[in-house]
Amino acid sequence: MKRTVISLVSGLVLTLAGMLWNYLSYREDKWLRLAYNMFGGEITIQSGFGLRLVHIYSMRPEKGDSISLRFDPISFLVCLIVLSFLVYVILTVIVKIRRGAYTE
């Protein structure tokens, strides 16, 4: 139980750190650095660590591009689950190695 709580808290901290990194990179250059990219005809969608950036390119010279950044609960939960699972596996391996080292 303790390992599960530690892995969930660590996964949450890592997910929030990734979200902060993506938000700061968005503020700097309107691009998410740690994200999955999907490209379409005149649209680019980036999603990662709980943020979703939609960039619609204008096809007319007199209009500007449309850029929106929103919270994406699906990518947040996916990142949280994956990172928590990885931390759980790492903690399990460390415990197995330590137990094996002390029994010899």
Side-chain angles (χ1 to χ4, degrees):
M1 183 69 173
K2 182 179 176 183
R3 202 177 312 160
T4 305
V5 171
I6 291 172
S7 65
L8 280 173
V9 170
S10 299
L12 180 63
V13 168
L14 290 171
T15 303
L16 291 174
M19 182 185 283
L20 178 64
W21 179 268
N22 273 342
Y23 179 71
L24 293 175
S25 68
Y26 168 76
R27 295 276 313 253
E28 183 179 321
D29 59 1
K30 303 286 190 237
W31 196 255
L32 302 181
R33 291 193 181 132
L34 303 174
Y36 175 77
N37 298 318
M38 295 173 280
F39 300 102
E42 60 254 353
I43 188 169
T44 301
I45 300 172
Q46 293 184 300
S47 183
F49 289 100
L51 294 176
R52 183 181 187 101
L53 174 70
V54 178
H55 187 161
I56 301 172
Y57 298 94
S58 175
M59 297 315 238
R60 296 182 177 202
E62 67 271 3
K63 289 195 173 184
D65 295 349
S66 171
I67 300 173
S68 67
L69 180 70
R70 298 203 166 146
F71 177 71
D72 185 18
I74 293 174
S75 71
F76 182 82
L77 289 175
V78 168
C79 288
L80 177 64
I81 291 168
V82 168
L83 290 173
S84 296
F85 178 73
L86 288 175
V87 170
Y88 184 83
V89 168
I90 291 169
L91 289 175
T92 303
V93 168
I94 289 172
V95 167
K96 298 282 185 191
I97 290 173
R98 283 191 176 179
R99 284 186 185 159
Y102 291 128
T103 58
E104 292 178 7

